[in-house]
Amino acid sequence: MRGLDFVAASCGHRYTSGMCHHYVGAKKHPELYAGAFDIHSTLFEFTLPNYWPLSKVPIIRPNDNGEREMVPAEWGLLPFWWKPTDKAPKRSGFQRKCFNAKSEEVDKKPSYREAFKRRRCLMPAEEFFEKGHYFHLPDFTPFAFAGLWERWRHGEETVESCTLLTTEPNELVKSVGHHRMPVLLTNEEQYAQWLNPDIVERKVLEPLFLPTDPATMEFYKAPEK
DNA sequence: CCAGACGTTGTT
DNA sequence: GTCTGG
DNA sequence: CCAGACGTTGTT
DNA sequence: GTCTGG
């Protein structure tokens, strides 16, 4: 059994669910990420290859020297201003509603607009899941979701979290009956533009949000449980 | 003013 | 205990 | 995966 | 933190 078949067979998902809420990272080949994303310091220790909302996932962001670093973050963005209340005492309740961000409005939403200006990141992946199908690039080449990250502090506790942008589906994703898809970045030029701190206007970054050319993607049906 | 929201996709 | 929404 | 829900009638 | 609906 090939590694990816094992991943697909072992993940226990439900096939009716929607949203961009399940993807596959690398379990045994972080060096692929380092090569594909030009990482200068790799601090992250990989855990499971399957990620769902609230999983710890690797993100790539510029550090203070402008070099890219890979660090862990919780998938589900927690804004810096979030506070617990009697009605919503746990941050996980908020975070599990913030694992996708609409690219069309990401610069306007209170939860995302500050991170959009100054805290963009890459979320490395090899496959993403929609409607019972895994989508990937030829040879499972690593790519990145366009992501945002945030830092939340409360007393002694610090939480770093992230979210991924969504856009219209291309024909391939439409063909399985889904109405949105993640924004995919697939080459160094796109990575560099997305992480460029001098760009803060959504309009300038908008070309990155176009649905990926379906001719450059492949997919397969997840095995029945 | 002040309490309450601040989110997404898909489905009803 | 089991299902499901995120 | 895993946190959170899981129920009804009647009243506000 | 900031905006909006009441």
Side-chain angles (χ1 to χ4, degrees):
Chain A
M1 186 184 271
R2 291 187 310 128
L4 287 161
D5 292 332
F6 172 77
V7 165
S10 64
C11 60
H13 46 60
R14 284 166 184 68
Y15 299 112
T16 53
S17 52
M19 299 191 247
C20 309
H21 73 162
H22 174 194
Y23 71 97
V24 179
K27 186 179 186 181
K28 295 180 177 173
H29 301 287
E31 72 278 6
L32 284 178
Y33 285 173
F37 294 94
D38 186 26
I39 306 305
H40 290 101
S41 66
T42 300
L43 305 175
F44 187 79
E45 285 190 22
F46 287 85
T47 54
L48 293 170
N50 277 287
Y51 301 132
W52 285 267
L54 301 195
S55 296
K56 284 254 184 172
V57 303
I59 65 169
I60 295 164
R61 66 186 179 192
N63 66 15
D64 292 341
N65 298 321
E67 297 175 333
R68 293 176 193 173
E69 63 180 13
M70 190 182 292
V71 297
E74 293 180 12
W75 183 18
L77 190 136
L78 187 66
F80 65 91
W81 44 257
W82 184 86
K83 290 191 184 94
T85 61
D86 289 343
K87 196 180 170 188
K90 298 178 69 175
R91 60 186 171 82
S92 62
F94 198 100
Q95 288 179 266
R96 67 175 54 256
K97 293 173 181 172
C98 294
F99 56 88
N100 287 170
K102 290 186 75 170
S103 60
E104 296 90 337
E105 306 171 310
V106 68
D107 59 331
K108 299 286 192 297
K109 296 289 188 179
S111 293
Y112 301 136
R113 58 194 175 196
E114 292 305 312
F116 179 76
K117 278 186 226 160
R118 298 183 296 108
R119 287 183 290 278
R120 297 192 295 268
C121 67
L122 307 175
M123 295 170 64
E126 291 175 0
E127 305 180 71
F128 67 93
F129 179 88
E130 304 285 5
K131 290 275 183 177
H133 296 79
Y134 286 93
F135 295 83
H136 59 94
L137 301 182
D139 302 320
F140 297 94
T141 302
F143 58 86
F145 298 120
L148 309 175
W149 69 275
E150 189 55 273
R151 183 178 290 138
W152 176 86
R153 290 199 187 88
H154 194 251
E156 298 293 295
E157 193 181 11
T158 297
V159 175
E160 293 196 337
S161 61
C162 62
T163 190
L164 67 83
L165 271 60
T166 64
T167 186
E168 294 175 34
N170 65 16
E171 293 303 320
L172 199 65
V173 173
K174 264 187 217 165
S175 75
V176 305
H178 206 59
H179 303 303
R180 298 290 287 176
M181 68 177 284
V183 172
L184 303 196
L185 308 178
T186 58
N187 61 58
E188 173 54 35
E189 185 183 0
Q190 293 182 332
Y191 307 151
Q193 189 178 24
W194 181 241
L195 297 181
N196 186 341
D198 298 328
I199 304 177
V200 295
E201 292 288 323
R202 197 199 76 89
K203 203 70 187 171
V204 178
L205 295 164
E206 195 168 36
L208 296 174
F209 306 155
L210 295 173
T212 305
D213 179 356
T216 67
M217 287 171 55
E218 298 174 3
F219 74 120
Y220 65 93
K221 195 172 188 336
E224 298 296 336
K225 241 184 120 185

